[in-house]
Amino acid sequence: MIHLTISRIAIWLLAIVMIIFGIIHFTNPNEMLNYVPLYLPRGIVWVYLVGIAFILAAVAFITNRFVSLAGYLLAALLVAFVLLIHIPNHLNSGDPTMRQLALVNALKDTAIAGFAMYIASIARHQRLTESDK
């Protein structure tokens, strides 16, 4: 039972982080727009969509509904960020500070993606049944 409690706390912590990231996308959209690749049309729309995705994943984790789907989609989104944004920024930035920031963001998103995949993979075992209530 203690393992289940610790697991739920860890999942809630990730959910809180994702809600904060989602809120940042809505409160500072122009700042976040700097991260949207120029080849994507309507960049500000992508900022808001990502904010919604982060918040929806967090809601799924907190409510313990659609956890597997949310975890795998969140992981896919974060891996896409690493491959399409952070690694190119790291390789192409002439500023050493920006290169380091891109690398840190790539590592952070990779770690969160890994945790999201783990959450998705154990979602069935985390699910509370009616008899457990």
Side-chain angles (χ1 to χ4, degrees), residues 22-101:
I23 290 170
I24 289 170
H25 279 73
F26 285 97
T27 58
N28 298 320
N30 292 326
E31 178 89 15
M32 301 307 297
L33 189 57
N34 293 326
Y35 293 100
V36 178
L38 295 175
Y39 57 81
L40 287 177
R42 302 182 190 259
I44 198 74
V45 172
W46 291 103
V47 170
Y48 291 124
L49 285 176
V50 168
I52 290 169
F54 285 165
I55 292 170
L56 287 176
V59 169
F61 294 159
I62 290 170
T63 61
N64 207 18
R65 303 278 186 240
F66 303 105
V67 174
S68 186
L69 176 65
Y72 286 129
L73 289 175
L74 177 60
L77 180 63
L78 293 169
V79 168
F81 289 171
V82 169
L83 297 175
L84 299 174
I85 298 170
H86 303 315
I87 291 176
N89 285 346
H90 176 71
L91 296 174
N92 299 320
S93 179
D95 180 19
T97 303
M98 293 306 293
R99 288 176 53 90
Q100 184 176 8
L101 181 61

